[in-house]
Amino acid sequence: MRVNQVYSHGKKHDSSRISRSPQRLKNIKRQKGKYPLLAEKIVQMSDIILEILDSRFIKETRNSEIEDMIKRENKKIIYVFNKSDLIDLEKIDRGYIEKLNPKVFVSCTKRGGIKELRDRIKILAGKVKEHVDKRANKITVGVVGYPNTGKSSVINLLSGKNATRTGSEAGFTKGIIKVKLTSDILLVDSPGIIPNKEYSSSNNLVMSQHTKLGARAYNQVKEPEVAVAEIMKEFPSIIENFYDIDSDGDSEVLIENLGRQRKFLIKGNKVDEDRTARLILKDWQEGKIKRI
Ligand SMILES: Nc1nc2c(ncn2[C@@H]2O[C@H](COP(=O)(O)OP(=O)(O)OP(=O)(O)O)[C@@H](O)[C@H]2O)c(=O)[nH]1
Ligand SMILES: [Mg+2]
């Protein structure tokens, strides 16, 4: 499977060269108007929808606009809690997830839960066929979710093919991609979607939240230091332990020390704060810094 090291332009990853091309920024700006329409299209064309959530941020990565659409259109949903390797299952808020059914915990990196998910899809597909006259047609399974939650990775594992590309940057998948699961079940990959009402390309706090979730890529965020401060506020000791730097919960101190340690310096022997902050965001978004 193509993971982590490949950017959408196909070049090998080099953390010291983080690109922020004007085209990428233009793509993000376009995202707002473009993808909600796509979400509607996917819900309409699908019989079953897999909502891929990040197990670390289940509440935050639910898209209520898409879920409402699914209900309105009377389609079936399966909640897929991906990246479960990055959490302690014992500590999960059972009360909250109790209502989300059917659900499957999955880890694409550890290949866990995939068989259970495949079986659930097949059972639901059977039920859909009973209710609708689908004998002649394929059952369509739309895969939706916030950017970077692992939609494409789930599809690749389910189908056993590297049919759709994956990458550590949010906004990797650009259009609808159809992949055969069985002779009568079709999977549909889609670009990550942030709900319209939550989207902002100007509010720093909103952008930092999305960066924390991985929905806005570390190389696309405008002020990486602000995003690091947001993550530090919530998980100070996790970040400090990962880099083995004691900063008393102060993100500026952490960036300063880490930058010096890595020799990320600019003119005047100053720390390159932007580059250092982006490195932290990259490690965070790639799941290197675990919340366990
Ligand atoms: N630790 C961990 N990482 C995962 C898992 N699933 C996916 N990833 C990583 O998460 C990143 C995003 O995966 P993708 O499958 O490209 O996610 P996506 O939802 O298709 O992303 P977009 O197309 O950008 O919306 C990649 O770096 C994957 O390797 C998982 O279960 N555990
Ligand atoms: Mg994708």
Side-chain angles (χ1 to χ4, degrees), residues 151-152 164-166 172-173 189-190:
K151 298 173 291 300
S152 303
T164 171
R165 291 180 62 208
T166 67
F172 206 83
T173 304
D189 196 6
S190 69

